[in-house]
Amino acid sequence: MRLKTALFSALLSTLLLQLLPPALMQSVHESSSADLLFSKIYDAHLSMIPPPKVNGTFNVTFDMAIAQLLELDELKQTVSMLTWRRMSWYDTRLSWRSRVFDGNLSFNSISSIKIPNSQIWKPDLVVYNDVRKTELDWSLYYASIQSDGLVRLNTPQLMKLSCPINVQLFPYDKQVCRMKIGSWTMDGFELNLLNASTHADLSSMAEDNEFCLVKAPLERNVIKYACCDAPYPDITYSILLQVNAACQPGTFWSCSVHFLR
């Protein structure tokens, strides 16, 4: 009886596969191939150990998009915003281009795969002047891995920045809030932090009736402290904010109540 059931299940599975559209069959095949590939390159220890250096250095490239300005609180001296942070680096341990597994198994036809970022090592970049008490859980967001080992990870980040705010010239004042980003545990010999652009990406930022974000240029700094020989690189954004009355004349009364609350 069990043998008949097993044979029937096998025949039914074969029939169903034959009835699938070619595009869907290709998708199923690619998915199973990607799963097999990941099983070959994945090692649980990789999530804890930084990748090997390439030509004596390990580069991490950082970029940021500001999606929405949420609040400017002059009493608490903070500004809150929703951002997307974009990081990329090479992890040669995860590459499969021109590699052969188990003697004759190759995955050169697969250009990239996506996996939960909790399963790989990630740079510990933090915003030094973020005063939030809780952190968004972005462990389930997927990282994209190219066949040459290039890892790209884009995640949302809700931030509340400590920012000195002066409203003496309200509503025509300008506020500059700085955001300093760097590694929490690694110096410049271990992690070389690079910027992908010269300013934050504002192209998809949601409009705000009360504030306008004029620009957000950045500077890459390398600091050496008296205690240590190692350099400490950081990326610091200077975010220029204005009350909308200064950006769009005639909107003073629509925004002043919130700003002076």
Side-chain angles (χ1 to χ4, degrees):
M1 183 64 181
R2 291 181 180 178
L3 179 60
K4 289 182 178 180
T5 302
L7 289 173
F8 176 76
S9 298
L11 289 172
L12 181 60
S13 299
T14 302
L15 178 61
L16 289 174
L17 284 175
Q18 291 176 347
L19 293 175
L20 287 175
L24 185 55
M25 288 187 64
Q26 181 180 357
S27 176
V28 171
H29 174 71
E30 290 176 352
S31 177
S32 60
S33 297
D35 291 339
L36 179 59
L37 166 60
F38 181 64
S39 70
K40 297 299 181 182
I41 63 175
Y42 176 69
D43 185 333
H45 296 293
L46 296 184
S47 63
M48 298 179 287
I49 304 173
K53 295 181 179 180
V54 178
N55 297 325
T57 186
F58 175 64
N59 295 328
V60 174
T61 303
F62 182 88
D63 189 21
M64 181 184 69
I66 300 179
Q68 187 174 6
L69 183 62
L70 301 175
E71 183 184 37
L72 181 64
D73 192 324
E74 75 282 359
L75 296 180
K76 295 181 180 179
Q77 301 282 286
T78 59
V79 59
S80 301
M81 62 183 66
L82 176 62
T83 68
W84 280 90
R85 66 180 197 173
R86 307 160 177 164
M87 298 183 292
S88 63
W89 64 94
Y90 279 93
D91 190 337
T92 55
R93 302 168 301 182
L94 299 175
S95 66
W96 63 90
R97 181 184 296 176
S98 302
R99 288 179 62 183
V100 177
F101 301 86
D102 299 335
N104 61 356
L105 190 58
S106 172
F107 296 95
N108 288 333
S109 61
I110 300 178
S111 60
S112 66
I113 59 175
K114 292 181 173 61
I115 61 173
N117 75 79
S118 58
Q119 297 180 330
I120 61 173
W121 178 90
K122 300 171 293 297
D124 60 342
L125 300 185
V126 298
V127 179
Y128 291 135
N129 57 323
D130 188 354
V131 296
R132 287 174 307 121
K133 295 181 180 179
T134 58
E135 178 72 33
L136 282 178
D137 180 14
W138 46 273
S139 60
L140 296 180
Y141 288 91
Y142 277 62
S144 172
I145 305 176
Q146 304 292 119
S147 62
D148 59 354
L150 175 62
V151 182
R152 290 191 176 97
L153 178 60
N154 301 338
T155 58
Q157 187 168 23
L158 182 65
M159 291 186 292
K160 179 179 286 188
L161 304 176
S162 173
C163 176
I165 298 174
N166 187 339
V167 295
Q168 288 183 350
L169 299 178
F170 177 85
Y172 298 105
D173 55 322
K174 297 179 181 179
Q175 312 295 339
V176 178
C177 296
R178 289 183 170 81
M179 180 193 307
K180 183 178 180 180
I181 298 165
S183 171
W184 187 248
T185 62
M186 304 175 74
D187 60 44
F189 292 145
E190 300 169 301
L191 188 155
N192 184 33
L193 181 61
L194 302 173
N195 50 295
S197 62
T198 57
H199 57 275
D201 180 4
L202 307 180
S203 61
S204 300
M205 183 174 173
E207 293 185 3
D208 192 287
N209 293 327
E210 300 170 9
F211 313 107
C212 60
L213 199 161
V214 180
K215 58 182 179 179
L218 67 84
E219 288 185 2
R220 180 182 181 272
N221 307 297
V222 178
I223 301 174
K224 283 193 174 183
Y225 298 98
C227 66
C228 319
D229 293 330
Y232 288 85
D234 73 75
I235 293 174
T236 300
Y237 290 87
S238 297
I239 303 169
L240 177 60
L241 304 171
Q242 284 184 324
V243 179
N244 246 344
C247 304
Q248 302 174 11
T251 60
F252 173 84
W253 295 111
S254 66
C255 65
S256 58
V257 174
H258 177 85
F259 192 80
L260 292 175
R261 71 190 186 286

